[in-house]
């Protein structure tokens, strides 16, 4: 099993403290960032409160999750200039210093063909990770009862489910047959 966590520097571009008023309202404002590998390419990202700062308790995986069960923990969002919702690549699709590890190469190397995605936030990190996993050629399942979204309505999780359907990503239940592959045998 692989876990991911945001591991942001204190001056991460997505933080409300990195933008000037009045465009620094978490969950309301957005900012434009440019691709460090191609400065002519930009994307607009939402502004978030400061979260998951490297080396702080807020960036650690919660104690209720037994981290000894993970083969790898991927730190994402390490580059202060770039947003990284996906565990596979940054907001521009770059497999860059924003990630600590080439997840797709690792999974293929160990013979993984199915990826089950769970976690926070369903309409951002889970969505981007699942879509990128599909682009990398994996069979992808999102375990809905193990996902929480920022926006649980039609514009957030509802739209995300539509994107999954269009991409051929299956949304499943922890009690479904598909998820039996991820049940803890111990």
């Amino acid at each position: 099993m692989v876990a991911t966590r945001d591991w942001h520097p204190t001056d991460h571009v997505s933080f409300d403290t990195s933008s000037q008023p009045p465009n620094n309202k978490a969950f309301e404002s957005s900012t434009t960032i440019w691709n460090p590998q191609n400065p002519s390419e930009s994307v607009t990202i939402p502004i978030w409160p400061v979260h998951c700062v490297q080396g702080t308790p807020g960036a650690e995986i919660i104690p209720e999750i037994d981290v000894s069960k993970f083969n790898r923990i991927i730190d994402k969002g390490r580059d202060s200039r770039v947003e990284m919702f996906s565990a596979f690549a940054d907001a521009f699709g770059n497999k860059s210093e924003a990630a600590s590890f080439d997840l797709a190469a690792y999974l293929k190397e160990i013979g993984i063909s199915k990826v089950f995605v769970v976690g926070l936030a369903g309409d951002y990190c889970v969505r981007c990770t699942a879509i990128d996993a599909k682009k990398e050629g994996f069979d992808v399942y999102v375990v809905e009862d193990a996902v929480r979204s920022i926006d649980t309505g039609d514009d957030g999780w509802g739209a995300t489910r539509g994107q999954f359907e269009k991409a051929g990503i299956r949304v499943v239940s922890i009690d479904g047959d598909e998820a039996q592959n991820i049940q803890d045998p111990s």
Side-chain angles (χ1 to χ4, degrees), residues 13-178:
V13 68
S14 72
F15 291 169
D16 53 4
T17 55
S18 296
S19 292
Q20 298 298 314
N23 300 317
N24 65 339
K25 293 181 176 68
F27 305 110
E28 295 177 25
S29 300
S30 60
T31 190
T32 301
I33 61 172
W34 285 264
N35 185 345
Q37 296 181 23
N38 177 3
S40 66
E41 186 179 10
S42 66
V43 66
T44 300
I45 61 166
I47 296 292
W48 304 103
V50 174
H51 66 283
C52 301
V53 174
Q54 297 171 2
T56 68
E60 297 300 329
I61 294 174
I62 61 172
E64 293 84 359
I65 295 176
D66 181 0
V67 297
S68 71
K69 302 222 184 236
F70 297 118
N71 300 20
R72 297 269 182 183
I73 297 176
I74 312 276
D75 294 333
K76 61 188 192 68
R78 300 177 340 148
D79 185 331
S80 64
R81 305 166 297 168
V82 181
E83 182 60 272
M84 187 170 182
F85 295 128
S86 172
F88 290 91
D90 68 24
F92 299 101
N94 301 320
K95 296 178 183 179
S96 66
E97 287 303 309
S100 61
F101 194 72
D102 186 341
L103 180 56
Y106 171 70
L107 295 175
K108 289 173 183 176
E109 180 181 305
I110 63 171
I112 300 297
S113 61
K114 295 179 182 177
V115 172
F116 292 82
V117 185
V118 303
L120 305 172
D123 43 345
Y124 289 93
C125 299
V126 170
R127 173 179 52 89
C128 292
T129 296
I131 289 170
D132 282 353
K134 190 69 175 177
K135 287 178 186 174
E136 291 286 351
F138 297 100
D139 293 328
V140 182
Y141 303 84
V142 174
V143 184
E144 187 168 31
D145 14 17
V147 171
R148 292 296 173 264
S149 296
I150 301 296
D151 178 349
T152 58
D154 291 342
D155 292 338
W157 183 242
T160 296
R161 285 184 58 103
Q163 289 175 330
F164 289 161
E165 185 176 334
K166 184 176 179 181
I169 296 167
R170 296 191 51 202
V171 177
V172 300
S173 167
I174 194 70
D175 296 322
D177 292 339
E178 305 87 355

